[in-house]
Amino acid sequence: MIKKKPLNIAVIGGGIGGLMATLALQQVGLHAELYEQAPQFSEVGAGIGLGPNAVRILQRLGLGKQLDAIRAPVTGFVLRHWHDGKLINDQQQNAENEYAGVWPVHRAELITILHEAISHEQLHTGKHCQSLTQDNEHVYLTFEDGTQVTADAAVGADGIHSVVRNTYHTDQPIFSNQIAYRGLVPMERLTFLGDEAHKFTMWMGPQRHFLIYPVSRGTVMNVVAFVPPEGNWRVESWAAHGEVKDLAKEFDTWAPHVQKIIQAMDDTMRWALYDRDPLDFWTQGRVTLLGDAAHAMLPHQGQGAGQSIEDALLLAYSLREADTETVAAWLQFYEALRKPRTTRVQETTRSAGKLYDLPDSEIYRRGEHFSFSNRSIWLWNYDADQAFKQAKQTIAHP
């Protein structure tokens, strides 16, 4: 029997999705090269929550100990009224609770873990993809520095403004009519929070909500505050500078703890929140999309990173089955497996953002939405390995 030649995959974009795809492809025995436009692998500081659907994948890829070393243990999820801080919902996180696997981490620390798990010979920085073309046998990529790369397949993991996506689609990001301030506060400044320093806590009010949770092993509090836009400001950048005084003004009538948290901040950044409508297709021949390039979503369910991680593993599983002649068909299989789920996450995430900012008369609808059982069955309990096995029985493939 003739042994299949390992495929050579080009991954465009070095964020969480691109690094995860490169790692997963590496672990299933394929050769992947990652091309990142920045001069080095780094990430602006921010927290993210990894649901059980993502945590399971990272553990199966052998990163459980590294992840455990950077996560902040949390004990529950609390919802409070914006003005008086009155408790709306309090759900404990424990061994019996399906929510127990949600781990808050610092994004930069997760990027470091992924970067260190990949052979550095496969990682290329300063490579801004300018264009790509393909024929029946290969994909050809051209970078701004003049270099060219030939691969058996290419994966666009290059974010919401994806060059790869824009090669085959003409849609544009959609402004949500919200901006978010974010920042990090040393935990020793927040002793007034008591036990709530170890929880996800959200204060919800009309047109605004304010979320905190610990990261970096519980030494730092991540703060994210969602507000209506100011004037015509629409900058979609995680690194755009914000003013703490402007943030304080947005919440000057809110609960005392919210105001004290803002007072403890040294600085803040702000970004305009955009997503994209679900695409009709991700895959064109030997080229496909992953993560935000395929299904950019708002942050209101904390699933941007999680869905990228799922994509990466299932893309690797799909291409493991392929050879040079069946690459396109297996990429179509990957899309058929992933697209219905990511579309549902995109759509429910938009709805969640509106729910968080309802007027006080609708406050109990918010509490019901945050019941763990409402989301865990389809969102957090998703098992990517099992999903792939089932898909091979139900989705057409070579």
Side-chain angles (χ1 to χ4, degrees):
M1 183 177 178
I2 300 174
K3 186 177 181 180
K4 288 192 304 184
K5 179 183 176 182
L7 296 174
N8 178 28
I9 316 299
V11 179
I12 312 303
I16 291 172
L19 287 166
M20 271 296 304
T22 305
L23 175 60
L25 288 163
Q26 171 185 291
Q27 290 206 2
V28 301
L30 301 180
H31 182 78
E33 301 272 339
L34 185 149
Y35 302 92
E36 162 59 28
Q37 66 176 344
Q40 62 185 12
F41 288 94
S42 61
E43 185 68 45
V44 177
I48 57 173
L50 296 176
N53 53 309
V55 170
R56 278 191 292 272
I57 292 172
L58 291 164
Q59 290 172 331
R60 287 171 184 170
L61 291 179
L63 299 178
K65 289 184 179 179
Q66 297 92 319
L67 192 61
D68 195 53
I70 67 168
R71 73 182 180 103
V74 292
T75 59
F77 196 113
V78 174
L79 303 180
R80 294 192 175 277
H81 187 273
W82 68 275
H83 183 62
D84 56 16
K86 183 179 178 181
L87 188 67
I88 300 170
N89 199 324
D90 185 358
Q91 299 185 69
Q92 298 302 308
Q93 180 160 302
N94 53 52
E96 289 74 39
N97 199 311
E98 291 173 312
Y99 191 64
V102 177
W103 291 1
V105 299
H106 193 299
R107 181 181 292 265
E109 293 171 355
L110 178 59
I111 290 284
T112 298
I113 286 174
L114 297 174
H115 180 261
E116 291 177 350
I118 300 168
S119 172
H120 288 190
E121 289 78 12
Q122 296 171 241
L123 304 175
H124 310 279
T125 55
K127 296 293 182 182
H128 187 186
C129 184
Q130 190 173 50
S131 64
L132 75 160
T133 58
Q134 61 177 306
D135 56 26
N136 290 334
E137 296 182 351
H138 296 102
V139 180
Y140 308 94
L141 300 122
T142 301
F143 297 90
E144 282 190 352
D145 63 4
T147 58
Q148 295 182 323
V149 168
T150 300
D152 294 310
V155 180
D158 47 342
I160 193 169
H161 300 293
S162 169
V163 171
V164 180
R165 178 183 179 127
N166 291 342
T167 302
Y168 301 106
H169 299 277
T170 59
D171 65 318
Q172 296 297 318
I174 300 169
F175 183 48
S176 67
N177 208 37
Q178 270 195 324
I179 65 173
Y181 287 87
R182 63 188 179 87
L184 299 167
V185 183
M187 197 63 77
E188 61 264 22
R189 299 181 186 176
L190 305 176
T191 56
F192 58 87
L193 290 174
D195 291 342
E196 225 153 276
H198 307 293
K199 297 182 178 182
F200 290 89
T201 301
M202 184 188 294
W203 290 262
M204 297 190 297
Q207 296 188 288
R208 290 166 173 77
H209 59 282
F210 190 94
L211 172 67
I212 62 171
Y213 56 87
V215 295
S216 298
R217 300 161 301 283
T219 63
V220 177
M221 185 68 81
N222 185 70
V223 179
V224 193
F226 299 86
V227 303
E230 244 183 78
N232 294 319
W233 192 85
R234 299 287 188 275
V235 179
E236 198 280 314
S237 169
W238 284 48
H241 180 70
E243 296 289 344
V244 175
K245 62 180 177 62
D246 293 334
L247 172 59
K249 189 184 303 180
E250 295 282 357
F251 294 92
D252 60 0
T253 60
W254 280 50
H257 277 186
V258 171
Q259 296 186 51
K260 290 178 72 173
I261 292 166
I262 296 172
Q263 291 166 9
M265 297 174 68
D266 291 324
D267 49 49
T268 185
M269 288 174 281
R270 62 176 180 164
W271 83 104
L273 300 182
Y274 289 80
D275 67 354
R276 297 248 200 177
D277 283 334
L279 284 172
D280 292 333
F281 65 92
W282 299 358
T283 303
Q284 185 74 18
R286 293 172 174 267
V287 178
T288 196
L289 302 172
L290 179 150
D292 282 354
H295 46 70
M297 58 188 64
L298 297 171
H300 303 306
Q301 289 193 114
Q303 278 292 314
Q307 292 306 301
S308 296
I309 289 168
E310 289 181 12
D311 286 350
L313 184 72
L314 292 170
L315 173 71
Y317 284 175
S318 300
L319 288 177
R320 178 182 58 190
E321 305 290 325
D323 57 30
T324 55
E325 294 182 356
T326 60
V327 165
W330 279 104
L331 291 179
Q332 291 286 351
F333 172 87
Y334 152 75
E335 176 184 325
L337 169 57
R338 292 298 299 151
K339 193 168 176 293
R341 175 166 167 80
T342 59
T343 296
R344 183 179 181 185
V345 178
Q346 283 180 288
E347 292 172 348
T348 56
T349 296
R350 283 182 177 177
S351 298
K354 295 175 183 177
L355 189 65
Y356 299 161
D357 300 332
L358 287 172
D360 286 352
S361 60
E362 302 284 347
I363 199 165
Y364 292 106
R365 281 182 57 198
R366 304 174 183 181
E368 292 169 2
H369 172 79
F370 278 95
S371 170
F372 293 143
S373 60
N374 285 351
R375 275 197 267 179
S376 64
I377 292 174
W378 75 272
L379 185 58
W380 291 320
N381 286 356
Y382 180 84
D383 187 307
D385 283 66
Q386 189 62 34
F388 184 78
K389 292 176 183 176
Q390 292 175 350
K392 284 190 71 177
Q393 297 174 354
T394 59
I395 299 175
H397 58 80

